[in-house]
Amino acid sequence: MLSRVAESMYWLSRNIERAETLARILDVNYNRTMDRSGANQAGTRRIWESVLEICGATVEVDLWDPEKIATNAFEFCTFSTENRTSILSCIRIARANALSVRAELSTEVWETINSLYLFVEAQSPRSIAREGPSSFLRSLRDTSQAFGGVVDATIMHDDEWNFLQVGRFAERAAMTTRIIRAQDVSDQSAHEWQRLLEMCCASEPFAKSQRLTSEPSEVLGFLFLHPSFPRSTRFCVHEVDNALHRLSETPKANFSNEAERMTGRLAAMLDFVQLDEILEEGSTRFATRVGERFDGVGAAIETAYFPRVPVM
Amino acid sequence: MQSLLEHYARVDYYDEFTDDRGVPRPHYRQLAQTLAGIDWADFQHRVQVVNNVLLQRGVTFTVYADSRGTERILPFDLIPRIVSKDEWSPIKAGIAQRVRALNEFLRDVYGEQRILHDGKIPWQLIYSSRFFNREMIGIVPPHGVYIHVSGVDLIRGRDGTAYVLEDNLRTPSGISYVLENREVLKRSFPQLFEHYSPRPVDDYPRRLRDALRYSAPIGVSDPTIVLLTPGIYNSAYFEHTMLARRMGVELVEGPDLLVRDNVVYMKTTKGLTRVDVIYRRIDDDFLDPLYFRADSTLGVAGLMNAYRAGNVTVANAVGTGVADDKAVYPFVPAMIRYYLREEPILPNVPTYDCTDPLDRSYVLEHLDELVVKNTNQSGGYGMLMGPQSTGSERDKFAKAITDNPREFIAQPIIPLSCHPTVCGESIAPRHLDLRPFVLFGEDVDVPPAALTRVALTEGSLVVNSSQGGGSKDTWILED
């Protein structure tokens, strides 16, 4: 397949995944700030600052009116066009990429993205204010999730699909890790940890997997290391690794390029690291370290599959 | 219940649907009956549904005049245009004849130039054409085919005569609307198809692919075909993606290709793959920055060398534009007689040659009755519609014609035929044309797939999508 197409597939699914995660994070936190835990201004501010950190936004929250932090942060993360990672920006980028590979996408996939785009473009802060953000965020989340299903059911599971998988799971791994990194671990209150789980769509799976106690540290272990929870860092890294190996047809545990080597090494580390070690290092620092490895993987994927200057 | 067509008032033009007495023509009779049984409110509802479907599917084109690059759907009129077997037969034969003659002309004009030596076409006309491509002299593409795809524009005058208005031999577009319109109409309005079996259009991509495969460099039996697009901002991008998908070929942009040792490759995730046939949807000027416009980022550096070396086929061939230069158009009947020794089946529209002093002074004196066209432009751009023009527009054109007579032709205004069309709250007659497509592979192939463009503004004779035109599903009946 064309390198340009591979690159667009990768960014297409990365951006849809990101929009979906953002929608969930905003929904969870919007609900949080409505009840007790967010009632005071300091609490609200802390919550929205962590949201902005997860989004990778660099804004001067100090310049905002303390009364309006929630509204401003919400708008910044949804409809801001300055913010390259707002929901609107993500959907626009995803759709532009889809347009440039439209010949490779199934009609169903294209129509899913196009409807998502038309839906988001039709919204405005005013329409959101009228109906409440939840219905918007939930429709967005549902359609983004449906995208994954339509992709799996209508696109041939070969190179195109593998690049979509790489993008989807690379983004998901990165987001889960960022969400954990932004967590204030000194706050041991139950609803803080509940918020963390909900942002990762892990509340029910976690409850199901814990039979006896639910120590906060267990949450970290679950989100970083669970082998079958589909949003854990470890699970996602394995999916990236699998997709890369399917692309190059290299046997597992071997590598044919730098991207495979780095992903394999990260997967092995997550396979064998112990929760105690993570806690000793500090979850924030561990998450930062893992995040840096992802950046390396991303760069290596670009070099291997969509280089600026092709090799003969 | 208000029935459709109840108040349809035909005007003083040839009406495709009804005859002089206002009675539906035989091939429209069943359709008229079906329409009579449909409630107006129900019909309006379907119009809404169809527009939403088209937007959702992204069947859009980009309007250049709009700086935001807005995507719009091409307005789709639900009342189909029907071409009877008797109407289609001469059209089919006539356009195939033209394309054969035009292809011979290209082979000649880039070869021995017999037609110029024999004085049938003036030398200076060809050598002054912006589309005459000196790089092509001495190059013969595989099987001598230059015009792999063309879209011939036909119009019908007041007495019902069909004329060829333009030959469109470069990168004609519109076939995607033909395919989509049929798809959408079948789904949204199945009852219209009762009692009719229009010839299916959906094998066009296969026929195109066959023609392209045949065009491959001699000796390449299983060619790699690509469709070269200028990219997502091109007005016909939707069409490019659709054709690539349906033909099962890669859709590439210029930067996806590169040339090494006079061979064209595409950059893939597994390295470089050799390309044999390029169905290009970009103009000659942008194909190769080394030969043509140096500022082009749409093309591929070195492509012309690979082409000259015979390592790749470019379809349509480079330089076909000289044959559909608007100033060369008046000579097509002469080409048919010269190369094929046949009489033209379809007439040309009479055309005034502004380089001829007599013609020019006639044109300048009758600007308010004529349509003036710039030979370097197409798509309804750079045109003067005399009767609708203002004095200052006419002065501007008069000056331009006097300064550069080679760049203009003029034609009497042909009152295009009309057809019932949905216009807001009623159904009214609107002017339309017909663009059948011609493929040229092993032989000339005229698929039963034609685009009908309709001018939606009352009284307008300009059907181009860029100028507010719409389209209709076009049914060609069995022959």
Side-chain angles (χ1 to χ4, degrees), chain A residues 1-4 95 99-100 102-103 110-111 114-115 159 312, chain B residues 55-58 71 237-238 245 251 256 260 267-270 272:
Chain A
M1 72 188 295
L2 290 175
S3 294
R4 174 179 57 83
R95 204 252 188 182
L99 199 52
S100 78
R102 189 165 162 182
W110 160 253
E111 287 184 16
N114 200 37
S115 331
D159 289 0
M312 188 82 182
Chain B
L55 190 62
Q56 204 98 71
R57 290 170 71 112
E71 292 169 27
Y237 180 69
F238 164 72
R245 205 169 52 233
L251 181 69
D256 293 330
R260 279 204 187 145
K267 305 172 193 169
T268 78
T269 53
K270 299 213 159 69
L272 300 177

PDB file of all heavy atoms in Angstrom, chain A residues 1-4 95 99-100 102-103 110-111 114-115 159 312, chain B residues 55-58 71 237-238 245 251 256 260 267-270 272:
ATOM      1  N   MET A   1       0.842  -1.195   0.000  1.00  0.00           N
ATOM      2  CA  MET A   1       0.000   0.000   0.000  1.00  0.00           C
ATOM      3  C   MET A   1       0.876   1.245   0.000  1.00  0.00           C
ATOM      4  O   MET A   1       2.022   1.206   0.413  1.00  0.00           O
ATOM      5  CB  MET A   1      -0.920  -0.001   1.216  1.00  0.00           C
ATOM      6  CG  MET A   1      -0.211   0.283   2.534  1.00  0.00           C
ATOM      7  SD  MET A   1      -1.254   0.067   3.974  1.00  0.00           S
ATOM      8  CE  MET A   1      -2.461   1.342   3.768  1.00  0.00           C
ATOM      9  N   LEU A   2       0.285   2.367  -0.440  1.00  0.00           N
ATOM     10  CA  LEU A   2       1.038   3.613  -0.498  1.00  0.00           C
ATOM     11  C   LEU A   2       1.409   4.072   0.908  1.00  0.00           C
ATOM     12  O   LEU A   2       0.613   3.967   1.834  1.00  0.00           O
ATOM     13  CB  LEU A   2       0.193   4.704  -1.147  1.00  0.00           C
ATOM     14  CG  LEU A   2      -0.092   4.578  -2.626  1.00  0.00           C
ATOM     15  CD1 LEU A   2      -1.045   5.681  -3.055  1.00  0.00           C
ATOM     16  CD2 LEU A   2       1.203   4.663  -3.428  1.00  0.00           C
ATOM     17  N   SER A   3       2.619   4.624   1.036  1.00  0.00           N
ATOM     18  CA  SER A   3       3.042   5.153   2.330  1.00  0.00           C
ATOM     19  C   SER A   3       2.102   6.257   2.807  1.00  0.00           C
ATOM     20  O   SER A   3       1.775   6.338   3.980  1.00  0.00           O
ATOM     21  CB  SER A   3       4.452   5.722   2.219  1.00  0.00           C
ATOM     22  OG  SER A   3       5.357   4.686   1.950  1.00  0.00           O
ATOM     23  N   ARG A   4       1.692   7.099   1.855  1.00  0.00           N
ATOM     24  CA  ARG A   4       0.793   8.190   2.241  1.00  0.00           C
ATOM     25  C   ARG A   4      -0.510   7.641   2.809  1.00  0.00           C
ATOM     26  O   ARG A   4      -1.053   8.159   3.780  1.00  0.00           O
ATOM     27  CB  ARG A   4       0.479   9.064   1.018  1.00  0.00           C
ATOM     28  CG  ARG A   4      -0.556  10.137   1.275  1.00  0.00           C
ATOM     29  CD  ARG A   4      -0.807  10.977   0.040  1.00  0.00           C
ATOM     30  NE  ARG A   4      -1.235  10.187  -1.103  1.00  0.00           N
ATOM     31  CZ  ARG A   4      -2.496   9.801  -1.300  1.00  0.00           C
ATOM     32  NH1 ARG A   4      -3.455  10.126  -0.456  1.00  0.00           N
ATOM     33  NH2 ARG A   4      -2.815   9.077  -2.355  1.00  0.00           N
ATOM     34  N   ARG A  95     -11.295  13.430   9.540  1.00  0.00           N
ATOM     35  CA  ARG A  95     -12.078  13.448   8.313  1.00  0.00           C
ATOM     36  C   ARG A  95     -11.214  13.839   7.112  1.00  0.00           C
ATOM     37  O   ARG A  95     -11.368  13.287   6.024  1.00  0.00           O
ATOM     38  CB  ARG A  95     -13.249  14.406   8.483  1.00  0.00           C
ATOM     39  CG  ARG A  95     -14.411  14.105   7.564  1.00  0.00           C
ATOM     40  CD  ARG A  95     -14.500  15.135   6.513  1.00  0.00           C
ATOM     41  NE  ARG A  95     -15.700  15.033   5.691  1.00  0.00           N
ATOM     42  CZ  ARG A  95     -15.901  15.853   4.687  1.00  0.00           C
ATOM     43  NH1 ARG A  95     -15.027  16.795   4.424  1.00  0.00           N
ATOM     44  NH2 ARG A  95     -16.982  15.726   3.944  1.00  0.00           N
ATOM     45  N   LEU A  99     -10.739  11.545   3.949  1.00  0.00           N
ATOM     46  CA  LEU A  99     -10.984  12.038   2.596  1.00  0.00           C
ATOM     47  C   LEU A  99      -9.811  11.690   1.681  1.00  0.00           C
ATOM     48  O   LEU A  99      -9.992  11.273   0.544  1.00  0.00           O
ATOM     49  CB  LEU A  99     -11.171  13.558   2.675  1.00  0.00           C
ATOM     50  CG  LEU A  99     -11.851  14.286   1.535  1.00  0.00           C
ATOM     51  CD1 LEU A  99     -13.174  13.650   1.196  1.00  0.00           C
ATOM     52  CD2 LEU A  99     -12.044  15.746   1.916  1.00  0.00           C
ATOM     53  N   SER A 100      -8.598  11.822   2.208  1.00  0.00           N
ATOM     54  CA  SER A 100      -7.448  11.573   1.349  1.00  0.00           C
ATOM     55  C   SER A 100      -7.223  10.084   1.100  1.00  0.00           C
ATOM     56  O   SER A 100      -6.458   9.728   0.219  1.00  0.00           O
ATOM     57  CB  SER A 100      -6.196  12.235   1.917  1.00  0.00           C
ATOM     58  OG  SER A 100      -5.698  11.468   2.971  1.00  0.00           O
ATOM     59  N   ARG A 102      -9.985   8.037   0.826  1.00  0.00           N
ATOM     60  CA  ARG A 102     -11.353   7.579   0.658  1.00  0.00           C
ATOM     61  C   ARG A 102     -11.455   6.377  -0.267  1.00  0.00           C
ATOM     62  O   ARG A 102     -12.326   5.520  -0.091  1.00  0.00           O
ATOM     63  CB  ARG A 102     -12.193   8.726   0.106  1.00  0.00           C
ATOM     64  CG  ARG A 102     -13.615   8.361   0.123  1.00  0.00           C
ATOM     65  CD  ARG A 102     -14.460   9.560  -0.064  1.00  0.00           C
ATOM     66  NE  ARG A 102     -15.781   9.119  -0.469  1.00  0.00           N
ATOM     67  CZ  ARG A 102     -16.759   9.920  -0.763  1.00  0.00           C
ATOM     68  NH1 ARG A 102     -16.575  11.206  -0.698  1.00  0.00           N
ATOM     69  NH2 ARG A 102     -17.915   9.440  -1.118  1.00  0.00           N
ATOM     70  N   ALA A 103     -10.574   6.317  -1.241  1.00  0.00           N
ATOM     71  CA  ALA A 103     -10.633   5.191  -2.174  1.00  0.00           C
ATOM     72  C   ALA A 103     -10.312   3.872  -1.473  1.00  0.00           C
ATOM     73  O   ALA A 103     -10.678   2.805  -1.942  1.00  0.00           O
ATOM     74  CB  ALA A 103      -9.680   5.430  -3.334  1.00  0.00           C
ATOM     75  N   TRP A 110     -16.417   5.262   5.548  1.00  0.00           N
ATOM     76  CA  TRP A 110     -16.445   6.662   5.142  1.00  0.00           C
ATOM     77  C   TRP A 110     -17.709   7.337   5.650  1.00  0.00           C
ATOM     78  O   TRP A 110     -17.674   8.429   6.202  1.00  0.00           O
ATOM     79  CB  TRP A 110     -16.346   6.781   3.620  1.00  0.00           C
ATOM     80  CG  TRP A 110     -16.830   8.102   3.133  1.00  0.00           C
ATOM     81  CD1 TRP A 110     -17.987   8.358   2.481  1.00  0.00           C
ATOM     82  CD2 TRP A 110     -16.186   9.371   3.323  1.00  0.00           C
ATOM     83  NE1 TRP A 110     -18.115   9.699   2.246  1.00  0.00           N
ATOM     84  CE2 TRP A 110     -17.030  10.346   2.757  1.00  0.00           C
ATOM     85  CE3 TRP A 110     -15.003   9.775   3.936  1.00  0.00           C
ATOM     86  CZ2 TRP A 110     -16.723  11.703   2.765  1.00  0.00           C
ATOM     87  CZ3 TRP A 110     -14.697  11.126   3.949  1.00  0.00           C
ATOM     88  CH2 TRP A 110     -15.542  12.077   3.367  1.00  0.00           C
ATOM     89  N   GLU A 111     -18.835   6.678   5.506  1.00  0.00           N
ATOM     90  CA  GLU A 111     -20.085   7.315   5.926  1.00  0.00           C
ATOM     91  C   GLU A 111     -20.140   7.521   7.435  1.00  0.00           C
ATOM     92  O   GLU A 111     -20.692   8.509   7.913  1.00  0.00           O
ATOM     93  CB  GLU A 111     -21.301   6.518   5.425  1.00  0.00           C
ATOM     94  CG  GLU A 111     -21.484   6.705   3.929  1.00  0.00           C
ATOM     95  CD  GLU A 111     -22.730   6.018   3.374  1.00  0.00           C
ATOM     96  OE1 GLU A 111     -23.610   5.655   4.161  1.00  0.00           O
ATOM     97  OE2 GLU A 111     -22.796   5.851   2.145  1.00  0.00           O
ATOM     98  N   ASN A 114     -17.971  10.550   8.022  1.00  0.00           N
ATOM     99  CA  ASN A 114     -18.605  11.743   7.475  1.00  0.00           C
ATOM    100  C   ASN A 114     -19.807  12.171   8.328  1.00  0.00           C
ATOM    101  O   ASN A 114     -19.984  13.353   8.599  1.00  0.00           O
ATOM    102  CB  ASN A 114     -19.019  11.502   6.020  1.00  0.00           C
ATOM    103  CG  ASN A 114     -19.238  12.790   5.259  1.00  0.00           C
ATOM    104  OD1 ASN A 114     -18.513  13.768   5.480  1.00  0.00           O
ATOM    105  ND2 ASN A 114     -20.225  12.815   4.390  1.00  0.00           N
ATOM    106  N   SER A 115     -20.592  11.219   8.812  1.00  0.00           N
ATOM    107  CA  SER A 115     -21.723  11.603   9.673  1.00  0.00           C
ATOM    108  C   SER A 115     -21.223  12.184  10.983  1.00  0.00           C
ATOM    109  O   SER A 115     -21.784  13.138  11.496  1.00  0.00           O
ATOM    110  CB  SER A 115     -22.632  10.440  10.055  1.00  0.00           C
ATOM    111  OG  SER A 115     -22.643   9.468   9.112  1.00  0.00           O
ATOM    112  N   ASP A 159      -3.152  -4.901   5.331  1.00  0.00           N
ATOM    113  CA  ASP A 159      -2.326  -3.745   5.702  1.00  0.00           C
ATOM    114  C   ASP A 159      -3.110  -2.508   6.153  1.00  0.00           C
ATOM    115  O   ASP A 159      -2.784  -1.899   7.168  1.00  0.00           O
ATOM    116  CB  ASP A 159      -1.402  -3.368   4.534  1.00  0.00           C
ATOM    117  CG  ASP A 159      -0.297  -4.398   4.340  1.00  0.00           C
ATOM    118  OD1 ASP A 159      -0.272  -5.378   5.116  1.00  0.00           O
ATOM    119  OD2 ASP A 159       0.520  -4.224   3.425  1.00  0.00           O
ATOM    120  N   MET A 312      15.062   2.746  -1.692  1.00  0.00           N
ATOM    121  CA  MET A 312      14.808   1.900  -2.877  1.00  0.00           C
ATOM    122  C   MET A 312      14.664   0.456  -2.435  1.00  0.00           C
ATOM    123  O   MET A 312      15.413  -0.023  -1.623  1.00  0.00           O
ATOM    124  CB  MET A 312      15.984   2.039  -3.840  1.00  0.00           C
ATOM    125  CG  MET A 312      15.749   1.372  -5.161  1.00  0.00           C
ATOM    126  SD  MET A 312      14.773   2.426  -6.241  1.00  0.00           S
ATOM    127  CE  MET A 312      14.601   1.406  -7.685  1.00  0.00           C
TER     128      MET A 312
ATOM    129  N   LEU B  55     -25.428  14.162   0.849  1.00  0.00           N
ATOM    130  CA  LEU B  55     -24.478  14.849   1.729  1.00  0.00           C
ATOM    131  C   LEU B  55     -23.744  13.843   2.606  1.00  0.00           C
ATOM    132  O   LEU B  55     -22.531  13.894   2.782  1.00  0.00           O
ATOM    133  CB  LEU B  55     -25.229  15.865   2.588  1.00  0.00           C
ATOM    134  CG  LEU B  55     -24.363  16.829   3.396  1.00  0.00           C
ATOM    135  CD1 LEU B  55     -23.514  17.687   2.472  1.00  0.00           C
ATOM    136  CD2 LEU B  55     -25.226  17.719   4.277  1.00  0.00           C
ATOM    137  N   GLN B  56     -24.521  12.903   3.145  1.00  0.00           N
ATOM    138  CA  GLN B  56     -23.952  11.870   3.996  1.00  0.00           C
ATOM    139  C   GLN B  56     -22.904  11.047   3.249  1.00  0.00           C
ATOM    140  O   GLN B  56     -21.852  10.730   3.761  1.00  0.00           O
ATOM    141  CB  GLN B  56     -25.074  10.930   4.449  1.00  0.00           C
ATOM    142  CG  GLN B  56     -24.757  10.206   5.730  1.00  0.00           C
ATOM    143  CD  GLN B  56     -25.409  10.906   6.892  1.00  0.00           C
ATOM    144  OE1 GLN B  56     -26.606  10.876   7.039  1.00  0.00           O
ATOM    145  NE2 GLN B  56     -24.634  11.553   7.725  1.00  0.00           N
ATOM    146  N   ARG B  57     -23.246  10.707   2.015  1.00  0.00           N
ATOM    147  CA  ARG B  57     -22.318   9.908   1.220  1.00  0.00           C
ATOM    148  C   ARG B  57     -21.148  10.741   0.742  1.00  0.00           C
ATOM    149  O   ARG B  57     -20.176  10.215   0.219  1.00  0.00           O
ATOM    150  CB  ARG B  57     -23.035   9.303   0.007  1.00  0.00           C
ATOM    151  CG  ARG B  57     -24.014   8.224   0.393  1.00  0.00           C
ATOM    152  CD  ARG B  57     -24.868   7.833  -0.778  1.00  0.00           C
ATOM    153  NE  ARG B  57     -24.144   7.087  -1.782  1.00  0.00           N
ATOM    154  CZ  ARG B  57     -24.351   5.801  -2.071  1.00  0.00           C
ATOM    155  NH1 ARG B  57     -25.252   5.153  -1.400  1.00  0.00           N
ATOM    156  NH2 ARG B  57     -23.667   5.202  -2.995  1.00  0.00           N
ATOM    157  N   GLY B  58     -21.275  12.058   0.895  1.00  0.00           N
ATOM    158  CA  GLY B  58     -20.186  12.925   0.479  1.00  0.00           C
ATOM    159  C   GLY B  58     -20.065  13.035  -1.027  1.00  0.00           C
ATOM    160  O   GLY B  58     -18.981  13.174  -1.560  1.00  0.00           O
ATOM    161  N   GLU B  71     -17.692  22.375   0.294  1.00  0.00           N
ATOM    162  CA  GLU B  71     -18.159  21.225  -0.444  1.00  0.00           C
ATOM    163  C   GLU B  71     -19.665  21.352  -0.618  1.00  0.00           C
ATOM    164  O   GLU B  71     -20.374  21.639   0.326  1.00  0.00           O
ATOM    165  CB  GLU B  71     -17.863  19.944   0.340  1.00  0.00           C
ATOM    166  CG  GLU B  71     -16.387  19.659   0.442  1.00  0.00           C
ATOM    167  CD  GLU B  71     -16.120  18.552   1.440  1.00  0.00           C
ATOM    168  OE1 GLU B  71     -17.002  17.717   1.646  1.00  0.00           O
ATOM    169  OE2 GLU B  71     -15.031  18.561   2.011  1.00  0.00           O
ATOM    170  N   TYR B 237     -12.686  15.506  -6.841  1.00  0.00           N
ATOM    171  CA  TYR B 237     -11.996  14.503  -6.010  1.00  0.00           C
ATOM    172  C   TYR B 237     -12.891  13.309  -5.679  1.00  0.00           C
ATOM    173  O   TYR B 237     -12.471  12.161  -5.709  1.00  0.00           O
ATOM    174  CB  TYR B 237     -11.476  15.148  -4.720  1.00  0.00           C
ATOM    175  CG  TYR B 237     -10.756  14.163  -3.830  1.00  0.00           C
ATOM    176  CD1 TYR B 237      -9.525  13.639  -4.204  1.00  0.00           C
ATOM    177  CD2 TYR B 237     -11.317  13.723  -2.633  1.00  0.00           C
ATOM    178  CE1 TYR B 237      -8.872  12.714  -3.417  1.00  0.00           C
ATOM    179  CE2 TYR B 237     -10.673  12.796  -1.840  1.00  0.00           C
ATOM    180  CZ  TYR B 237      -9.447  12.304  -2.230  1.00  0.00           C
ATOM    181  OH  TYR B 237      -8.810  11.383  -1.443  1.00  0.00           O
ATOM    182  N   PHE B 238     -14.143  13.620  -5.389  1.00  0.00           N
ATOM    183  CA  PHE B 238     -15.066  12.524  -5.081  1.00  0.00           C
ATOM    184  C   PHE B 238     -15.077  11.494  -6.212  1.00  0.00           C
ATOM    185  O   PHE B 238     -15.051  10.290  -5.989  1.00  0.00           O
ATOM    186  CB  PHE B 238     -16.484  13.060  -4.849  1.00  0.00           C
ATOM    187  CG  PHE B 238     -17.513  11.979  -4.912  1.00  0.00           C
ATOM    188  CD1 PHE B 238     -17.600  11.049  -3.892  1.00  0.00           C
ATOM    189  CD2 PHE B 238     -18.339  11.847  -6.017  1.00  0.00           C
ATOM    190  CE1 PHE B 238     -18.508  10.014  -3.968  1.00  0.00           C
ATOM    191  CE2 PHE B 238     -19.248  10.817  -6.091  1.00  0.00           C
ATOM    192  CZ  PHE B 238     -19.331   9.895  -5.071  1.00  0.00           C
ATOM    193  N   ARG B 245     -11.774   3.239  -6.459  1.00  0.00           N
ATOM    194  CA  ARG B 245     -12.317   2.168  -5.633  1.00  0.00           C
ATOM    195  C   ARG B 245     -13.018   1.124  -6.490  1.00  0.00           C
ATOM    196  O   ARG B 245     -12.820  -0.062  -6.331  1.00  0.00           O
ATOM    197  CB  ARG B 245     -13.284   2.775  -4.617  1.00  0.00           C
ATOM    198  CG  ARG B 245     -13.454   1.960  -3.371  1.00  0.00           C
ATOM    199  CD  ARG B 245     -14.211   2.731  -2.306  1.00  0.00           C
ATOM    200  NE  ARG B 245     -15.451   3.278  -2.820  1.00  0.00           N
ATOM    201  CZ  ARG B 245     -15.810   4.553  -2.731  1.00  0.00           C
ATOM    202  NH1 ARG B 245     -15.020   5.419  -2.156  1.00  0.00           N
ATOM    203  NH2 ARG B 245     -16.958   4.969  -3.212  1.00  0.00           N
ATOM    204  N   LEU B 251      -5.328   5.067  -5.834  1.00  0.00           N
ATOM    205  CA  LEU B 251      -5.509   6.495  -6.073  1.00  0.00           C
ATOM    206  C   LEU B 251      -4.243   7.177  -5.577  1.00  0.00           C
ATOM    207  O   LEU B 251      -3.925   7.094  -4.394  1.00  0.00           O
ATOM    208  CB  LEU B 251      -6.711   6.999  -5.288  1.00  0.00           C
ATOM    209  CG  LEU B 251      -7.031   8.479  -5.458  1.00  0.00           C
ATOM    210  CD1 LEU B 251      -7.532   8.765  -6.855  1.00  0.00           C
ATOM    211  CD2 LEU B 251      -8.062   8.924  -4.434  1.00  0.00           C
ATOM    212  N   ASP B 256       3.230  10.778  -4.322  1.00  0.00           N
ATOM    213  CA  ASP B 256       3.294   9.329  -4.099  1.00  0.00           C
ATOM    214  C   ASP B 256       4.125   8.637  -5.174  1.00  0.00           C
ATOM    215  O   ASP B 256       4.423   7.451  -5.063  1.00  0.00           O
ATOM    216  CB  ASP B 256       1.889   8.706  -4.142  1.00  0.00           C
ATOM    217  CG  ASP B 256       1.023   9.165  -2.989  1.00  0.00           C
ATOM    218  OD1 ASP B 256       1.589   9.457  -1.925  1.00  0.00           O
ATOM    219  OD2 ASP B 256      -0.199   9.244  -3.163  1.00  0.00           O
ATOM    220  N   ARG B 260      12.698   6.894 -11.464  1.00  0.00           N
ATOM    221  CA  ARG B 260      14.120   6.541 -11.430  1.00  0.00           C
ATOM    222  C   ARG B 260      14.463   5.829 -12.717  1.00  0.00           C
ATOM    223  O   ARG B 260      13.747   4.908 -13.112  1.00  0.00           O
ATOM    224  CB  ARG B 260      14.407   5.618 -10.247  1.00  0.00           C
ATOM    225  CG  ARG B 260      14.558   6.414  -8.995  1.00  0.00           C
ATOM    226  CD  ARG B 260      15.376   5.726  -7.940  1.00  0.00           C
ATOM    227  NE  ARG B 260      15.279   6.571  -6.753  1.00  0.00           N
ATOM    228  CZ  ARG B 260      15.244   6.130  -5.522  1.00  0.00           C
ATOM    229  NH1 ARG B 260      15.341   4.845  -5.280  1.00  0.00           N
ATOM    230  NH2 ARG B 260      15.143   6.963  -4.526  1.00  0.00           N
ATOM    231  N   LYS B 267       5.451   4.955  -4.068  1.00  0.00           N
ATOM    232  CA  LYS B 267       6.091   4.711  -2.774  1.00  0.00           C
ATOM    233  C   LYS B 267       5.121   3.949  -1.879  1.00  0.00           C
ATOM    234  O   LYS B 267       4.075   4.478  -1.508  1.00  0.00           O
ATOM    235  CB  LYS B 267       6.441   6.037  -2.101  1.00  0.00           C
ATOM    236  CG  LYS B 267       7.287   6.960  -2.953  1.00  0.00           C
ATOM    237  CD  LYS B 267       7.403   8.310  -2.262  1.00  0.00           C
ATOM    238  CE  LYS B 267       7.951   9.373  -3.196  1.00  0.00           C
ATOM    239  NZ  LYS B 267       7.831  10.730  -2.626  1.00  0.00           N
ATOM    240  N   THR B 268       5.456   2.745  -1.554  1.00  0.00           N
ATOM    241  CA  THR B 268       4.568   1.960  -0.708  1.00  0.00           C
ATOM    242  C   THR B 268       5.267   1.609   0.602  1.00  0.00           C
ATOM    243  O   THR B 268       6.458   1.862   0.768  1.00  0.00           O
ATOM    244  CB  THR B 268       4.139   0.635  -1.387  1.00  0.00           C
ATOM    245  OG1 THR B 268       5.220  -0.294  -1.274  1.00  0.00           O
ATOM    246  CG2 THR B 268       3.795   0.839  -2.846  1.00  0.00           C
ATOM    247  N   THR B 269       4.505   1.005   1.499  1.00  0.00           N
ATOM    248  CA  THR B 269       5.073   0.636   2.798  1.00  0.00           C
ATOM    249  C   THR B 269       6.082  -0.501   2.643  1.00  0.00           C
ATOM    250  O   THR B 269       6.813  -0.801   3.562  1.00  0.00           O
ATOM    251  CB  THR B 269       3.963   0.179   3.757  1.00  0.00           C
ATOM    252  OG1 THR B 269       3.204  -0.831   3.113  1.00  0.00           O
ATOM    253  CG2 THR B 269       3.063   1.334   4.115  1.00  0.00           C
ATOM    254  N   LYS B 270       6.073  -1.143   1.476  1.00  0.00           N
ATOM    255  CA  LYS B 270       7.045  -2.216   1.260  1.00  0.00           C
ATOM    256  C   LYS B 270       8.084  -1.800   0.230  1.00  0.00           C
ATOM    257  O   LYS B 270       8.693  -2.651  -0.423  1.00  0.00           O
ATOM    258  CB  LYS B 270       6.327  -3.486   0.801  1.00  0.00           C
ATOM    259  CG  LYS B 270       5.323  -3.992   1.846  1.00  0.00           C
ATOM    260  CD  LYS B 270       5.203  -5.502   1.844  1.00  0.00           C
ATOM    261  CE  LYS B 270       4.653  -6.042   3.154  1.00  0.00           C
ATOM    262  NZ  LYS B 270       3.244  -5.729   3.397  1.00  0.00           N
ATOM    263  N   LEU B 272       9.315   0.424  -3.298  1.00  0.00           N
ATOM    264  CA  LEU B 272       8.800   1.022  -4.523  1.00  0.00           C
ATOM    265  C   LEU B 272       8.147  -0.027  -5.417  1.00  0.00           C
ATOM    266  O   LEU B 272       8.656  -1.136  -5.559  1.00  0.00           O
ATOM    267  CB  LEU B 272       9.946   1.703  -5.280  1.00  0.00           C
ATOM    268  CG  LEU B 272      10.650   2.826  -4.506  1.00  0.00           C
ATOM    269  CD1 LEU B 272      11.807   3.391  -5.297  1.00  0.00           C
ATOM    270  CD2 LEU B 272       9.676   3.932  -4.138  1.00  0.00           C
TER     271      LEU B 272
END
